[in-house]
Amino acid sequence: GDRIKITHTIEPGQRETGCITCCHAPDNCPTLASFLCCYDYPEYIVNEMNASRYIIVRENGMEWNSPSMQPAKGGCCGHSCTELAVMDNVTVLYFDDIHFDDVRNDTRCCNMCMTFCCGGRGEQVQIESTFCFSCCIRGRHNRVCIPVCCPDVCCPCMVKSELWVDDAPTAVKIIRDARDDAKRRLGLDD
C-alpha cells in the first residue's frame, strides 16, 4: 500500500552516571540530585527516561524522542516538590528538509573515560546545515546566520539537531544512506 515503511531503528544512548555519583537520590527527595554532585536523580525517573527514548528511520525521514524531567503535578503552584515526571520531546525531521545537509559523529574526545568519570548520554550524532566554510550555521528565520562556536542556549533559532546513540558511526551511516536513498527516489539529488 501507500504506507511509509520503517527502514531502521537505531539504539539510543542511555543516561549513565559517572564514578563521582555515589547513589540515587531518594524517591521522595529528587531535588538532592540538583544540589549535591554525588547524587543522581531517583532511579525510577532515570529508568523511565531511558525507556522512553527511541530513534526510528523511515523511508522519508526520521523521528526520535529525547525525554526530559520536570516536576510532577502537585499542590505547590501546580508542581510537586517531591516527585518528578518524564516529559516527551519528539522530533520529526524529513530527508527533503533544506537544513538536513550534514550528518556527522560529534562524540566528545575520550568519551568512554569522560562517561566513566562524569557520566554521559551515549555517543553524539549532529544534524545541521553549515555554510561559509563551515564557520556559520543557518538559523530558522530568513537571513539569520550564527557562528558555529555560539552555544545553543544563546541562539535557540539555530537549525541543528542532536541525537544520543549507542553507536555513532553506524547511526551516521544508516541516516546518510536513508537520506540519500530518499533524495534519489524523490529526484532531489544534488
Side-chain angles (χ1 to χ4, degrees), residues 16-173:
E16 295 180 37
T17 59
C19 66
I20 59 171
T21 303
C22 56
C23 59
H24 289 278
D27 289 354
N28 61 351
C29 194
T31 53
L32 276 178
S34 301
F35 301 114
L36 300 172
C37 66
C38 64
Y39 279 97
D40 191 17
Y41 288 98
E43 203 166 6
Y44 79 91
I45 200 74
V46 172
N47 291 341
E48 198 175 323
M49 284 182 62
N50 282 338
S52 202
R53 296 182 204 289
Y54 66 86
I55 304 168
I56 298 171
V57 180
R58 296 189 181 106
E59 59 186 351
N60 66 339
M62 53 189 300
E63 174 184 323
W64 66 92
N65 186 21
S66 300
S68 60
M69 292 178 260
Q70 66 181 11
K73 287 182 179 179
C76 182
C77 299
H79 297 285
S80 171
C81 297
T82 60
E83 290 182 45
L84 293 171
V86 171
M87 180 175 71
D88 288 327
N89 181 19
V90 176
T91 304
V92 177
L93 188 60
Y94 294 99
F95 293 136
D96 61 351
D97 189 313
I98 62 170
H99 296 112
F100 202 126
D101 288 343
D102 186 28
V103 180
R104 63 187 164 85
N105 179 349
D106 201 26
T107 305
R108 62 188 173 181
C109 295
C110 304
N111 188 52
M112 289 177 64
C113 183
M114 295 286 286
T115 299
F116 174 77
C117 294
C118 308
R121 296 184 278 178
E123 297 180 1
Q124 185 180 14
V125 172
Q126 192 81 257
I127 300 171
E128 62 190 8
S129 181
T130 59
F131 62 99
C132 195
F133 306 106
S134 295
C135 292
C136 295
I137 192 165
R138 288 179 172 79
R140 296 197 186 284
H141 306 290
N142 198 9
R143 294 181 294 281
V144 174
C145 71
I146 300 139
V148 290
C149 59
C150 192
D152 301 5
V153 218
C154 298
C155 296
C157 66
M158 190 181 294
V159 178
K160 87 180 198 183
S161 299
E162 294 176 346
L163 293 171
W164 295 94
V165 299
D166 190 47
D167 179 9
T170 303
V172 167
K173 181 175 179 3

